[in-house]
Amino acid sequence: MKKIYMLWLAASLCLPLAAQTPRNGYFSENLPMRHNLNPAFAPEYDYVAIPAIGGISAGMNSNVGADNFLFKKNGEVVTGLHSSVGNDEFLSGLKSRNYMEVNSGVSVVSLGFKALGGFNTIGINVKSATSAALPYELFEFAKIGQVNGAPTSYNIKDTRVQSSNYLELAFGHSRNLGEKFRVGAKVKYIAGVAYADARIDAIDVAMSADKWSVREQGEMFTTDAIDIQYKPNGEIDNISTGSFGVAGNGLGFDFGASYKLLDNLVLSASLTDVGFVAWKGSNASVNPDEFVYDGFHHLVAEKNPDGSSALSREGDQLEEDLRKLVRFQNETGASRTQSLQTMLNLASEYSILNDKIGFGLLWSTRLGTPRKWTEVMASANFRPVQWFNATVNFSTSNLGHSLGALINFCPKGFNFFFGSDYIPFKYSKEGIPLSTAKLCLVWRLHSITASNCLKINSLVCGNRCRRFPLFLLVENFF
């Protein structure tokens, strides 16, 4: 449990949502992996990703930032639960339901080539998503506890922590249907590696002068890759790595299309990650019997003689307190079906000055678990010359607002571009992004086989046709 809270803190410092392809790359025509956003998209060239380092991504979505949890007191950085932080100072910045999701991915194998009357893609990817939804009342209970010794009660509902980790084998194909219409689709086999889903539906706390009593409802499902040992009273004693293998099987599909309505207006739509994973593991129910809880133990802002920081000691104490708060029983074999994180994209781009400048609008909604969200991104895409493209964008969603930018250089023989969907503008003195809930970090390295003469916005740039048998495409996002 401590690891969940500290993960929240670490991720809220610098990592919001990142996909394997940045969203502001949706309108970048020479981005090889753009088919991850819409399977109808295809580059003008064949490509092969460098194994393992061909695509590495990490990111986060959250409706709170680091400045909601970290405070500087007496020369040390502490959490809002620290005794030196006032109740209102900490709690006033929290939401009724505080949500965080951390995503990461590695493209192990990725290649694209022209064949079968269209463009084909093959990919092997490792994907991981961990989310936590913690209600305001949980932090209120942890921070305030009993009020002046008087009878106090808390009703903490809908606490959930979920982690999904799997290997994906994807095959895609796209082709033109006439001069204006293009369609594409992918099919994905999913091999589940590890999954956990802890759902605490209710924690009812009643405090009196004599004792703090707790009653709970909920359950926790885990696969064999996660080994949990329990104490005789049901408290979690230790969480460690278990046995790895194929713990689940599933299927996923992507669908996409684009239509050139006018010479300078293109409409497109996609529905990605439609599918499921069926997991096998074990399920433990929360013990509904009443038990006595001795509360959260706060620290004072002093350094220990051993040199450990207040933040580190807070983490250790928080782990101990949270483990005592929930008790489980009756662990039995079980199965669970999880839906994928389905995404719906609707987009349009209007170009002027002979396609030198384009104005794009991308509307995205995630339809699946663990949380639904909607984002609208407006972008201006500049293509003044063959060897240089740039994009600036503004995004707004039910999780916040942000700006982003992307620059793409395409001189003779290579392609290099860097950018970010989300650029934070508020930092601490230590360089930590604070109030923003969005930032992107992606690294990609591809080998490109330029077997054909390529035109504007392609990797083989210049006025005359040139051939390059193999070179590197580096895409680095900050």
Side-chain angles (χ1 to χ4, degrees), residues 167-181:
L167 182 71
E168 173 189 273
L169 175 61
F171 300 92
H173 179 80
S174 62
R175 63 170 59 209
N176 292 323
L177 297 180
E179 296 182 354
K180 296 185 176 182
F181 195 52

Side-chain angles (χ1 to χ4, degrees), residues 298-332:
H298 296 169
L299 300 172
V300 295
E302 296 178 356
K303 289 186 177 180
N304 261 9
D306 63 4
S308 63
S309 67
L311 185 62
S312 175
R313 289 183 285 117
E314 275 188 279
D316 294 336
Q317 184 62 59
L318 182 63
E319 176 182 18
E320 182 179 346
D321 294 340
L322 286 174
R323 286 187 176 184
K324 293 178 180 178
L325 183 59
V326 182
R327 299 183 178 186
F328 295 92
Q329 64 176 4
N330 302 329
E331 186 176 29
T332 59

Side-chain angles (χ1 to χ4, degrees), residues 183-211:
V183 296
K186 283 186 184 179
V187 59
K188 307 173 182 179
Y189 165 69
I190 297 170
V193 177
Y195 179 72
D197 186 7
R199 305 176 63 169
I200 311 302
D201 300 323
I203 302 176
D204 295 317
V205 183
M207 300 178 174
S208 65
D210 300 325
K211 64 179 181 178

Side-chain angles (χ1 to χ4, degrees), residues 2 23 33 125 127 165 196 213 253 264-265 320 341 378:
K2 163 201 166 186
R23 295 201 163 277
M33 306 300 290
N125 308 298
K127 293 186 176 181
N165 309 269
S213 61
F253 300 91
N264 56 354
L265 178 62
E320 182 179 346
Q341 297 180 357

Side-chain angles (χ1 to χ4, degrees), residues 346-369:
L346 301 175
S348 64
E349 186 183 27
Y350 183 82
S351 301
I352 60 175
L353 301 178
N354 196 27
D355 202 37
K356 300 294 185 182
I357 300 177
F359 300 98
L361 188 65
L362 174 62
W363 181 86
S364 302
T365 293
R366 198 181 59 198
L367 306 175
T369 57

Side-chain angles (χ1 to χ4, degrees), residues 132-424:
L134 305 181
Y136 173 89
E137 291 79 10
L138 178 62
F139 295 101
E140 184 182 31
F141 170 49
K143 180 63 178 175
I144 298 177
Q146 192 169 11
V147 180
N148 299 324
T152 307
S153 63
Y154 293 93
N155 183 222
I156 304 168
K157 294 184 177 180
D158 299 327
T159 301
R160 187 174 187 182
V161 178
Q162 187 179 39
S163 182
S164 176
N165 309 269
Y166 60 83
L167 182 71
E168 173 189 273
L169 175 61
F171 300 92
H173 179 80
S174 62
R175 63 170 59 209
N176 292 323
L177 297 180
E179 296 182 354
K180 296 185 176 182
F181 195 52
R182 185 175 182 87
V183 296
K186 283 186 184 179
V187 59
K188 307 173 182 179
Y189 165 69
I190 297 170
V193 177
Y195 179 72
D197 186 7
R199 305 176 63 169
I200 311 302
D201 300 323
I203 302 176
D204 295 317
V205 183
M207 300 178 174
S208 65
D210 300 325
K211 64 179 181 178
W212 293 8
S213 61
V214 177
R215 287 184 179 273
E216 303 167 325
Q217 297 177 9
E219 62 180 3
M220 179 169 60
F221 177 87
T222 58
T223 59
D224 291 342
I226 304 169
D227 185 20
I228 301 178
Q229 289 86 43
Y230 298 94
K231 294 180 180 179
N233 64 358
E235 294 177 8
I236 294 177
D237 185 36
N238 186 49
I239 302 176
S240 60
T241 301
S243 58
F244 285 94
V246 178
N249 293 278
L251 283 175
F253 300 91
D254 295 352
F255 306 98
S258 65
Y259 180 70
K260 194 171 186 179
L261 183 63
L262 303 172
D263 289 341
N264 56 354
L265 178 62
V266 177
L267 307 178
S268 61
S270 66
L271 190 64
T272 61
D273 285 328
V274 180
F276 68 94
V277 186
W279 299 93
K280 291 185 178 180
S282 58
N283 195 75
S285 59
V286 172
N287 191 333
D289 296 337
E290 180 181 295
F291 67 93
V292 176
Y293 181 64
D294 62 0
F296 290 86
H297 300 81
H298 296 169
L299 300 172
V300 295
E302 296 178 356
K303 289 186 177 180
N304 261 9
D306 63 4
S308 63
S309 67
L311 185 62
S312 175
R313 289 183 285 117
E314 275 188 279
D316 294 336
Q317 184 62 59
L318 182 63
E319 176 182 18
E320 182 179 346
D321 294 340
L322 286 174
R323 286 187 176 184
K324 293 178 180 178
L325 183 59
V326 182
R327 299 183 178 186
F328 295 92
Q329 64 176 4
N330 302 329
E331 186 176 29
T332 59
S335 61
R336 180 76 57 87
T337 300
Q338 172 208 7
S339 62
L340 300 181
Q341 297 180 357
T342 304
M343 182 75 71
L344 173 64
N345 295 308
L346 301 175
S348 64
E349 186 183 27
Y350 183 82
S351 301
I352 60 175
L353 301 178
N354 196 27
D355 202 37
K356 300 294 185 182
I357 300 177
F359 300 98
L361 188 65
L362 174 62
W363 181 86
S364 302
T365 293
R366 198 181 59 198
L367 306 175
T369 57
R371 177 186 171 95
K372 297 177 177 64
W373 57 264
T374 297
E375 177 185 81
V376 177
M377 175 182 289
S379 67
N381 313 297
F382 303 95
R383 301 176 280 263
V385 291
Q386 290 180 328
W387 55 269
F388 177 77
N389 299 166
T391 294
V392 293
N393 66 275
F394 171 77
S395 302
T396 182
S397 75
N398 57 334
L399 296 178
H401 315 287
S402 59
L403 294 173
L406 181 147
I407 298 176
N408 182 67
F409 295 96
C410 183
K412 298 176 182 179
F414 73 95
N415 186 300
F416 171 82
F417 80 87
F418 60 92
S420 174
D421 291 341
Y422 315 109
I423 301 175

Side-chain angles (χ1 to χ4, degrees), residues 17 26 68 71 209 260 354:
L17 176 70
Y26 190 94
N68 296 116
F71 301 83
K260 194 171 186 179
N354 196 27

